[in-house]
Amino acid sequence: MHRREIMALAGIAAAGTFLAPARTLAAAPDAKRPAESFVAAKDGTSLFVRDWGAGRPILFLSGWALPSDFWGYQMLALARKGYRAIAYDRRGHGRSADPGRGYDHDTLADDLAAVIDGLKLDGVTIVAHSMGATEVARYFARHGGRGVARVVLVGTITPCLMKRADNPGGIDPATLAAGADLLAHDFPAWIAANTKPFFTPETSAAMVAWGQAMMMSTSLLAAAQLAQANFTTDFRADVRKINVPTRIIHGDRDASAPLALTARATAALLPQATLSVYEGAPHGLPLTHVERLNAELLALLSST
């Protein structure tokens, strides 16, 4: 595997803004519910939440070093079709607070619980990209999946990235350490070196530049500590706790989370999982394959 591709296993993600003509959502949100708000985590950390539309709730979790803006294309499409599309910035990302602590998966799972409980979500579908899948898995292990009816994992980095005796196909720890060292000493250089595999050749230069700038706005402490946690944590036991229907969507050109190591291995642990592979899709599938992903999400939601 090319060194650039291996380094991308830290969970690089970049996203693009979108411009759309003003249109009325298919279902207007509750006038008493703000479209943007904050939820307090268990330790008091303020988590920014965006909440569009009304109807059955869909909660989006972004990948490593990405705020909730990443899911704009999917949130807009679902809100226009009568769903309630929700996303929040994890601590140290976007408009959420950077408390200088809690950059571990137990705390992030508790943050997810705070959002679900704070918004009184029940029967929610969680759509998680990349590192977001680790938060989902730990939420099921730690909180029993309370309130969650269905899970969709897009470009997942579960179940175990690092090479171990019982995970021979994983990445050598020394290789991962080299990427972590660059991240800690020159974050912009790390981003520049790892952005290209996230997109397709057709991605606009403006989209790429916007994604790089967004990532650099992430707390360096959060980025470094969560990258390390993603590298070293074995999530196989957590993944097995996911006991609801699960759709796994992955690109066969995902250099950040190679298909066999992540999506196929995750699907093998989940009896209720179905795997959908997009030919030619990279790790940034929600941005590069917008129409196909939106159509699959809508079809999945309308089938239940």
Side-chain angles (χ1 to χ4, degrees):
M1 184 180 293
H2 194 281
R3 185 172 183 271
R4 177 184 295 174
E5 295 179 347
I6 293 174
M7 288 174 62
L9 278 160
I12 182 170
T17 56
F18 60 89
L19 297 173
R23 288 175 59 180
T24 302
L25 299 182
D30 186 338
K32 297 180 180 179
R33 172 169 57 81
E36 296 181 345
S37 61
F38 290 86
V39 169
K42 186 168 64 174
D43 66 354
T45 298
S46 181
L47 303 174
F48 172 73
V49 179
R50 61 184 72 228
D51 196 342
W52 299 351
R56 290 167 53 193
I58 318 299
L59 177 59
F60 292 88
L61 302 182
S62 300
W64 175 84
L66 277 173
S68 54
D69 303 67
F70 175 76
W71 286 113
Y73 293 109
Q74 286 70 43
M75 290 181 68
L76 180 64
L78 267 60
R80 284 176 169 171
K81 290 294 185 179
Y83 295 96
R84 181 182 176 189
I86 307 160
Y88 70 96
D89 298 339
R90 71 170 56 85
R91 58 178 62 213
H93 294 62
R95 292 168 64 179
S96 290
D98 177 15
R101 64 181 184 275
Y103 301 119
D104 60 86
H105 288 93
D106 282 353
T107 301
L108 296 183
D110 292 349
D111 289 352
L112 175 54
V115 171
I116 289 175
D117 294 344
L119 299 183
K120 297 180 173 58
L121 301 179
D122 189 36
V124 65
T125 294
I126 294 184
V127 182
H129 176 253
S130 189
M131 177 191 162
T134 70
E135 292 164 290
V136 173
R138 185 59 55 89
Y139 177 73
F140 272 83
R142 192 168 172 85
H143 295 278
R146 184 176 64 252
V148 180
R150 181 185 299 275
V151 168
V152 181
L153 306 179
V154 184
T156 182
I157 64 168
T158 55
C160 186
L161 291 178
M162 186 172 286
K163 185 176 183 178
R164 303 168 184 265
D166 61 349
N167 190 41
I171 307 303
D172 189 289
T175 303
L176 298 178
D181 184 67
L182 177 60
L183 187 157
H185 290 87
D186 194 339
F187 193 27
W190 189 97
I191 292 172
N194 288 280
T195 298
K196 186 176 180 180
F198 186 80
F199 297 103
T200 62
E202 296 76 28
T203 306
S204 71
M207 178 79 81
V208 172
W210 184 85
Q212 291 175 321
M214 181 174 57
M215 292 183 71
M216 283 187 283
S217 71
T218 301
S219 159
L220 182 58
L221 178 65
Q225 291 190 353
L226 291 175
Q228 178 69 15
N230 289 337
F231 288 159
T232 59
T233 305
D234 184 345
F235 294 101
R236 286 175 287 191
D238 299 280
V239 168
R240 291 188 181 97
K241 297 293 185 178
I242 300 176
N243 58 359
V244 297
T246 301
R247 178 70 56 87
I248 302 172
I249 301 173
H250 216 88
D252 66 357
R253 293 190 180 179
D254 192 326
S256 300
L259 179 62
L261 179 64
T262 57
R264 292 199 187 281
T266 298
L269 298 175
L270 294 173
Q272 297 190 66
T274 56
L275 175 61
S276 180
V277 178
Y278 288 14
E279 183 178 355
H283 198 53
L285 185 154
L287 299 180
T288 62
H289 290 66
V290 174
E291 291 79 11
R292 182 174 176 182
L293 177 59
N294 289 357
E296 183 163 357
L297 291 176
L298 287 168
L300 182 65
L301 293 168
S302 65
S303 67
T304 58

